[in-house]
Amino acid sequence: MTSTASLAVRLCGTEQHEAPLRTLRAGSLSVAFDNGALRYIRIGTIEILRGISFLVRDENWGTCTPVLDDLRIDERPDAFAIEYRATCAATSGRLVYRARVSGSSDGALSFVTEAEPETDLLTNRTGFVVLHPIADLAGKPVRVLHQDGLERLSHFPDFIDPECPFTDVRALSHEIAPGIWATCIMDGDAFEMEDQRNWSDASYKTYVRPLRRPWPYRLPKGQKFTQAVRLHMSGTLLAPMSENPDPPIKVTIGGPAGRVPRIGVGVAADEARHALGNSDLIRQLAPQWIACQVDLRLGHGHDELERYAALTRLIGASVVLEIITRGTLDPFGELKPVADAVRRLGLNLEAICVFPAQDMKSVQPGAAWPAMPSFQESYSAARRAFPGVPVGGGMAAYFTELNRKRPPSEALDYATFTTCPSVHAADDVSVMETLEAIPHLIRSARSFMGELPLRVGPSQLGCRENPYGASTAQNEANGRVCLSRIDPRQRGLFNAAWIVGYFAACAREGIEAVVFGDFTGPFGQIHRKADFVQPWFDQQDSRTVYPAFHVLAGLSKLGGATLLSVGTFGADGVVTIAAENDRGVTLWVANLTAKTQSVRLSDAPSSARIALLGAEQFEQAATDPNFMEISARPLDDQFISLDAYAVARVDLDRPSSA
């Protein structure tokens, strides 16, 4: 090794730091201030809004990061105030705005901005976004005040709404406790709501300017405008409650709760040859299946399939072939050469999926889809070209597209979709929050796909393909960027914890199989030199692996085992998954937060062993693919201390209590 990895690189793969949130309070009202935005607006311990922010989004839906100056914060026991000036530089212009925020102990909150484009600005959306949390609100009543002055009683969507549940919105009111209502009023333009769970965000989003209006649109230089969001409470407010900053977390392992999903790895065509150069490591990862993509838009064919066949022989995993066609009206004519090559190479397929090119781009609800083969035509052509091979379908893009264009379940053997956690926000907290939405995605998919088996992925922190713009976003600065292929956290402990959380959510919902990332490259688990910067890893003389390598290798061994229920009591931000096998019980625990948390295992036997993957172990874990096995030690007591984004594997050498 030629250097020591910084804590920032160990955690998130980049030297760019995120400023900590600052919490402001006025009586029982509290908010977290985050670089101009407000998060976690609460009365006592009840979350009223997930966030309020003024956003500038470019013509590819990229979100500009505001640069703040002239920041002033005044905080008193019964009130607080924030003022600042912000500059937003987009690809096609620049806008400045002044913001004033005030909050008081009666629960009132005001956020007003006065904005002025310093140049002409091409934008898909510029203005306020208000987020309501999904926890405790899905399916619950809401009063909607419309622009015409009429108020209607409705409900927050339970299953994920593919369209806008509410349009022409002026105000939204919901009951936060018996007799206490929170009303959020939005001024300055027409607002509408979308169910942001479509993109795996953990919120309902009410935003300025309806999507039925043309976009992108131009904001003229010098044309000022004002917008405001105001929150007020009716009823007797809850008294402020003292909070324990480090509550005890108790973990209890229960009885059988299904089967652990099979884990797969998604292999991009241009990464297969790099994977073959790391044969010992990919054998150690030992995925139970690999999802291999053939993209006919890019001219993929025999050469790509030959490398996939070599990978299959190397690791013995089954293969699902995901074919993106050019979307011609002759799908069989496109698929037949692929099928012929598969047979010549002796590639044994577990299943195939077919996705016309037109389905790789988003189409807004109500808009006409381009000319393309129907679902039935694509699936019939697939069965004809690959006789006897099971056919999966759905979307190679995100759940959003599956929800908006639902395939006939009777034509398929299983359904599939994927997610990207940085469509709307790329900060650490928002990306981890997307794990809250995974159960909602799965339950909603089942609501219209019926009993058809579900598979999820390939999913990872970075964006494989941007359905909403011309391309994925650039990330030369190795930062946290929405809709970018390059996410530095892929290389950090952050990703290891996120994968445990994602897999645990899928397992609890009975998903059949889950596929993550890649072997190498921007979505990989094994480092290779690339055309993007990888701090510390690029400076090493020997081969290295990312922390998620150890997590995927361990979880893959549990595929098909008996899933056990796990009770986690006392805190958010810790996720678990447990399974029973011939040797006893294996428990994985991950800290999804940047703060240290202590976990107490109930009834842990004296023979329990623990392998800890945290910041202190980062360099050894990166250079030794056997780290989790050789570092396992007896668990001295029932307590486990998990620092930021740390992951622990606990082996309990006993049969389950169930």
Side-chain angles (χ1 to χ4, degrees):
M1 297 185 189
T2 58
S3 63
T4 299
S6 69
L7 180 60
V9 167
R10 296 176 190 216
L11 298 183
C12 293
T14 177
E15 297 291 1
Q16 290 194 9
H17 294 266
E18 285 193 330
L21 304 183
R22 175 174 175 177
T23 299
L24 304 174
R25 302 179 188 277
S28 59
L29 173 68
S30 66
V31 304
F33 183 64
D34 181 14
N35 193 43
L38 303 182
R39 305 179 78 145
Y40 308 119
I41 295 95
R42 292 186 172 99
I43 296 293
T45 59
I46 301 173
E47 185 179 3
I48 311 302
L49 297 176
R50 177 57 54 98
I52 307 173
S53 55
F54 186 91
L55 300 182
V56 176
R57 309 198 71 183
D58 66 21
E59 65 274 21
N60 285 317
W61 292 104
T63 303
C64 304
T65 300
V67 177
L68 272 56
D69 57 49
D70 196 20
L71 173 63
R72 296 188 296 273
I73 298 178
D74 177 30
E75 187 175 13
R76 301 186 301 276
D78 62 345
F80 59 80
I82 307 168
E83 293 188 14
Y84 62 88
R85 180 182 182 271
T87 302
C88 297
T91 55
S92 61
R94 189 172 63 254
L95 176 142
V96 297
Y97 66 90
R98 285 208 167 267
R100 299 187 307 277
V101 178
S102 62
S104 57
S105 57
D106 61 359
L109 180 69
S110 173
F111 194 158
V112 181
T113 63
E114 298 171 349
E116 179 180 0
E118 291 190 332
T119 66
D120 284 356
L121 176 67
L122 191 65
T123 178
N124 283 351
R125 177 177 301 148
T126 292
F128 271 115
V129 169
V130 177
L131 306 180
H132 282 78
I134 59 176
D136 301 323
L137 286 188
K140 298 299 177 61
V142 59
R143 294 173 182 163
V144 184
L145 178 64
H146 295 279
Q147 292 285 336
D148 60 9
L150 293 178
E151 185 177 69
R152 297 175 175 86
L153 180 63
S154 187
H155 292 81
F156 287 101
D158 188 2
F159 295 127
I160 301 173
D161 196 325
E163 302 184 5
C164 294
F166 309 124
T167 59
D168 298 319
V169 176
R170 173 74 194 287
L172 297 167
S173 304
H174 70 281
E175 193 173 30
I176 66 171
I180 305 175
W181 284 76
T183 298
C184 183
I185 303 170
M186 293 152 279
D187 290 322
D189 203 338
F191 284 74
E192 68 183 15
M193 177 187 283
E194 69 186 13
D195 195 335
Q196 217 174 198
R197 295 175 297 173
N198 276 296
W199 297 271
S200 73
D201 295 76
S203 56
Y204 302 101
K205 178 170 70 177
T206 308
Y207 54 88
V208 77
R209 188 178 169 98
L211 286 173
R212 63 180 178 272
R213 296 183 187 176
W215 50 269
Y217 58 98
R218 192 171 300 278
L219 293 175
K221 175 183 178 181
Q223 185 169 306
K224 299 179 180 180
F225 60 94
T226 299
Q227 293 181 11
V229 174
R230 296 181 174 88
L231 180 70
H232 68 81
M233 306 292 156
S234 62
T236 303
L237 292 188
L238 305 173
M241 296 178 63
S242 60
E243 297 182 15
N244 182 355
D246 297 301
I249 303 169
K250 182 180 178 182
V251 171
T252 303
I253 300 174
R259 292 286 173 185
V260 178
R262 294 185 302 140
I263 273 196
V265 170
V267 187
D270 56 355
E271 291 296 333
R273 62 185 178 90
H274 298 292
L276 288 168
N278 290 278
S279 58
D280 55 334
L281 292 179
I282 65 172
R283 284 196 192 98
Q284 192 163 338
L285 269 176
Q288 294 166 303
W289 63 297
I290 55 176
C292 302
Q293 191 176 93
V294 171
D295 194 336
L296 301 184
R297 300 172 301 177
L298 303 178
H300 290 174
H302 181 275
D303 290 348
E304 289 76 19
L305 289 167
E306 190 172 40
R307 287 193 286 268
Y308 288 146
L311 269 178
T312 305
R313 292 191 295 270
L314 184 65
I315 59 178
S318 61
V319 173
V320 172
L321 198 61
E322 297 188 342
I323 306 171
I324 301 175
T325 71
R326 295 186 298 276
T328 70
L329 298 182
D330 179 19
F332 178 75
E334 292 196 63
L335 294 174
K336 186 176 185 302
V338 180
D340 291 343
V342 165
R343 282 188 283 272
R344 285 195 303 270
L345 292 165
L347 185 57
N348 187 25
L349 300 181
E350 174 185 309
I352 60 164
C353 293
V354 177
F355 309 106
Q358 295 89 334
D359 281 343
M360 302 303 291
K361 288 297 179 183
S362 177
V363 175
Q364 289 297 314
W369 282 79
M372 60 184 294
S374 67
F375 281 127
Q376 289 83 353
E377 290 168 335
S378 290
Y379 301 153
S380 295
R383 293 192 186 278
R384 181 182 168 196
F386 297 88
V389 178
V391 174
M395 292 290 158
Y398 307 136
F399 174 85
T400 320
E401 282 58 60
L402 177 69
N403 201 17
R404 290 174 173 175
K405 189 183 181 188
R406 302 173 177 182
S409 58
E410 66 274 7
L412 294 171
D413 295 298
Y414 69 88
T416 184
F417 65 87
T418 185
T419 66
C420 172
S422 61
V423 174
H424 293 117
D427 62 278
D428 295 343
V429 173
S430 294
V431 169
M432 278 301 186
E433 282 177 354
T434 62
L435 297 176
E436 297 177 33
I438 302 303
H440 296 254
L441 299 177
I442 296 168
R443 294 167 196 165
S444 296
R446 287 205 173 102
S447 73
F448 57 82
M449 297 305 296
E451 297 301 315
L452 201 64
L454 289 177
R455 298 185 181 185
V456 177
S459 297
Q460 63 284 311
L461 296 179
C463 176
R464 285 182 182 265
E465 186 157 345
N466 180 6
Y468 315 111
S471 64
T472 55
Q474 297 298 309
N475 189 7
E476 294 89 350
N478 195 39
R480 299 160 173 87
V481 178
C482 290
L483 292 170
S484 175
R485 286 178 60 82
I486 311 303
D487 191 313
R489 291 166 295 199
Q490 180 75 22
R491 306 182 292 272
L493 288 161
F494 184 99
N495 186 41
W498 182 83
I499 284 177
V500 174
Y502 197 104
F503 189 67
C506 290
R508 287 194 301 270
E509 295 299 323
I511 288 294
E512 175 190 76
V514 185
V515 58
F516 291 102
D518 208 326
F519 291 117
T520 59
F523 311 136
Q525 325 305 325
I526 303 166
H527 170 259
R528 71 167 178 84
K529 291 292 180 69
D531 58 356
F532 53 91
V533 176
Q534 301 172 84
W536 188 79
F537 288 97
D538 285 341
Q539 285 75 52
Q540 303 313 300
D541 299 325
S542 59
R543 287 190 309 172
T544 50
V545 298
Y546 307 141
F549 174 93
H550 303 284
V551 169
L552 284 178
L555 292 176
S556 183
K557 295 176 183 177
L558 300 181
T562 300
L563 180 72
L564 300 176
S565 63
V566 183
T568 305
F569 308 95
D572 296 326
V574 168
V575 68
T576 60
I577 181 171
E580 184 177 16
N581 51 44
D582 294 339
R583 294 172 295 175
V585 172
T586 297
L587 169 72
W588 287 83
V589 186
N591 180 4
L592 305 181
T593 74
K595 68 178 182 179
T596 299
Q597 303 207 70
S598 180
V599 175
R600 179 180 181 272
L601 301 184
S602 299
D603 304 321
S606 58
S607 59
R609 295 179 63 80
I610 183 172
L612 186 63
L613 180 60
E616 291 185 7
Q617 297 81 25
F618 176 87
E619 292 183 6
Q620 185 183 354
T623 54
D624 189 344
N626 297 305
F627 168 76
M628 295 296 277
E629 305 308 320
I630 65 173
S631 67
R633 57 175 175 77
L635 182 61
D636 296 331
D637 55 33
Q638 294 179 313
F639 288 90
I640 303 172
S641 179
L642 297 173
D643 59 14
Y645 308 123
V647 175
R649 189 196 71 210
V650 181
D651 295 308
L652 310 173
D653 297 325
R654 61 171 177 81
S656 169
S657 59

